[in-house]
Amino acid sequence: MRILLTGSAGFVGTAIAAQLEAAGDEVVCIDLMLAMAHGAASAPAGTHQLDVRDAASWGDLLHGVDAVCHQAAVVGAGVKVGDLPAYASHNDYGTAVLLAAMHEAGVGRLVLASSMVVYGEGRYTCADHGDQAPPPRAVAALDAGDFENHCPVCGRALSWSLVDEDARLEPRSSYAASKLAQEHYTSAWVRQADASAVALRYHNVYGPGMPRDTPYSGVAAMFRSSLERGEAPQVYEDGGQMRDFVHVADVARANVAALRSVLDGATGHFAAYNVASGHPIGIREVAELVATGTATEIAPDVTGGYRLGDVRHIVASPQRAREELGFAAEILPEQGLREFATAPLRA
């Protein structure tokens, strides 16, 4: 395969490129090298440094390409209203320009990096009243240390359940809204261009090469940085928030599987898949596993603080990706997070 890979110098993009090249595929690497992600680093050798929003800069790069793997994006929580233009420009307009350029070049296969954030809250169930869709948690409840979502019928705390790809989509941040918009643009392009695409909804990605102390750092990297400074990792709420942590090597494997799928599949098809380990874990346990890997006795500091943009629980069902893409994670959090504690990171 000849694959054009955007965001190729990033955390996930680097892992995807390595797996594709190891399999003998040709990779056309593209990255803008945004300072917020890469600092002052130069583009890796062989990388075309260009902005996906600039249609004129594409030139002949798409000629002869079998499929595009689109990882380039501004990430982070996007908690400020002032963040909206950056997310809309880089993520949404950039994707629209890319899709138009692909159509012009006759490239009709795409794998898109999406995110679990498109779901908003996860799936919740009441023992007596079944599935419930709770509203955003009230500030007064959070201030009082009540972090759970409650059944709107009986008021009792709801239990979390696995989220599948048919769950409601309810983005609650600028970043989340931009990722869902990317999916919508892609779905429209598939119909209009008689193309084929897969969106991969990444859950919490971690692993070697993760950025250190940037907006692109995940919570596992932040816990590790605290431990390296001799400080206790700061855990919000009560540490009981449930998430799915998936290793970057598994995310790369999911992308390779998705690329094979869109190349082998029929046109006019768009599907989204969770990319997750399938092994839910609490945030406090994440901090404890990272601490264990660093052989430190520093315990996490469960602060009771909160961030309004955060959701309580979101845990993925990996079933559809396993059945339709043949993808299943190989590195479980209990192993991977311990190893991550001493893995090389990016400055």
Side-chain angles (χ1 to χ4, degrees):
M1 295 189 296
R2 178 178 166 88
I3 304 298
L4 187 143
L5 174 63
T6 72
S8 60
F11 171 42
V12 174
T14 299
I16 294 170
Q19 289 198 19
L20 287 170
E21 290 168 351
D25 296 308
E26 180 184 357
V27 184
V28 180
C29 294
I30 290 177
D31 203 297
L32 180 56
M33 302 301 293
L34 278 172
M36 69 178 71
H38 300 284
S42 300
T47 300
H48 301 274
Q49 189 170 349
L50 60 85
D51 192 329
V52 295
R53 298 171 296 178
D54 181 8
S57 68
W58 285 94
D60 295 331
L61 291 176
L62 281 163
H63 289 178
V65 164
D66 296 303
V68 171
C69 188
H70 184 32
Q71 305 295 312
V74 172
V75 305
V79 295
K80 298 183 296 184
V81 174
D83 294 331
L84 281 164
Y87 285 106
S89 177
H90 285 278
N91 298 359
D92 303 336
Y93 179 65
T95 298
V97 170
L98 172 61
L99 294 172
M102 289 174 63
H103 182 59
E104 182 71 19
V107 181
R109 299 291 188 272
L110 175 73
V111 173
L112 170 70
S114 188
S115 171
M116 67 175 188
V117 296
V118 300
Y119 297 118
E121 284 282 1
R123 181 183 171 201
Y124 296 90
T125 303
C126 174
D128 293 328
H129 301 103
D131 284 355
Q132 298 293 328
R137 295 176 293 173
V139 171
L142 294 169
D143 286 338
D146 179 6
F147 302 116
E148 298 294 350
N149 286 293
H150 293 268
C151 176
V153 181
C154 67
R156 281 185 284 186
L158 295 168
S159 300
W160 59 267
S161 297
L162 296 180
V163 176
D164 64 23
E165 291 83 353
D166 295 326
R168 73 187 188 284
L169 304 178
E170 189 181 3
R172 295 187 177 184
S173 70
S174 305
Y175 173 59
S178 75
K179 298 310 287 185
L180 183 54
Q182 284 184 300
E183 288 196 21
H184 286 164
Y185 276 117
T186 299
S187 177
W189 168 79
V190 164
R191 292 191 296 272
Q192 293 174 325
D194 193 28
S196 179
V198 162
L200 299 178
R201 293 172 179 166
Y202 302 161
H203 286 250
N204 294 270
V205 187
Y206 71 98
M210 196 171 191
R212 179 195 295 275
D213 302 327
T214 78
Y216 290 66
S217 299
V219 67
M222 294 177 183
F223 289 161
R224 172 176 157 162
S225 293
S226 295
L227 290 161
E228 289 174 345
R229 294 191 301 268
E231 302 170 358
Q234 301 293 293
V235 176
Y236 286 116
E237 301 186 17
D238 59 2
Q241 311 94 301
M242 298 300 294
R243 297 290 190 271
D244 191 299
F245 279 72
V246 58
H247 197 279
V248 67
D250 284 324
V251 174
R253 279 190 280 271
N255 275 273
V256 173
L259 284 165
R260 311 291 185 207
S261 174
V262 296
L263 284 168
D264 293 342
T267 60
H269 179 69
F270 172 75
Y273 298 94
N274 288 324
V275 176
S277 72
H279 289 256
I281 188 169
I283 293 296
R284 178 171 184 165
E285 186 180 356
V286 171
E288 291 170 344
L289 285 168
V290 175
T292 299
T294 59
T296 180
E297 296 182 0
I298 300 175
D301 179 12
V302 180
T303 66
Y306 63 87
R307 297 180 300 188
L308 277 178
D310 287 349
V311 300
R312 179 57 176 171
H313 306 297
I314 179 162
V315 177
S317 168
Q319 180 176 351
R320 183 176 294 180
R322 183 170 55 247
E323 293 177 350
E324 298 183 11
L325 296 180
F327 165 74
E330 297 178 3
I331 303 171
L332 303 187
E334 291 76 7
Q335 168 198 350
L337 286 166
R338 288 192 183 96
E339 295 174 350
F340 171 70
T342 53
L345 300 184
R346 297 186 184 203

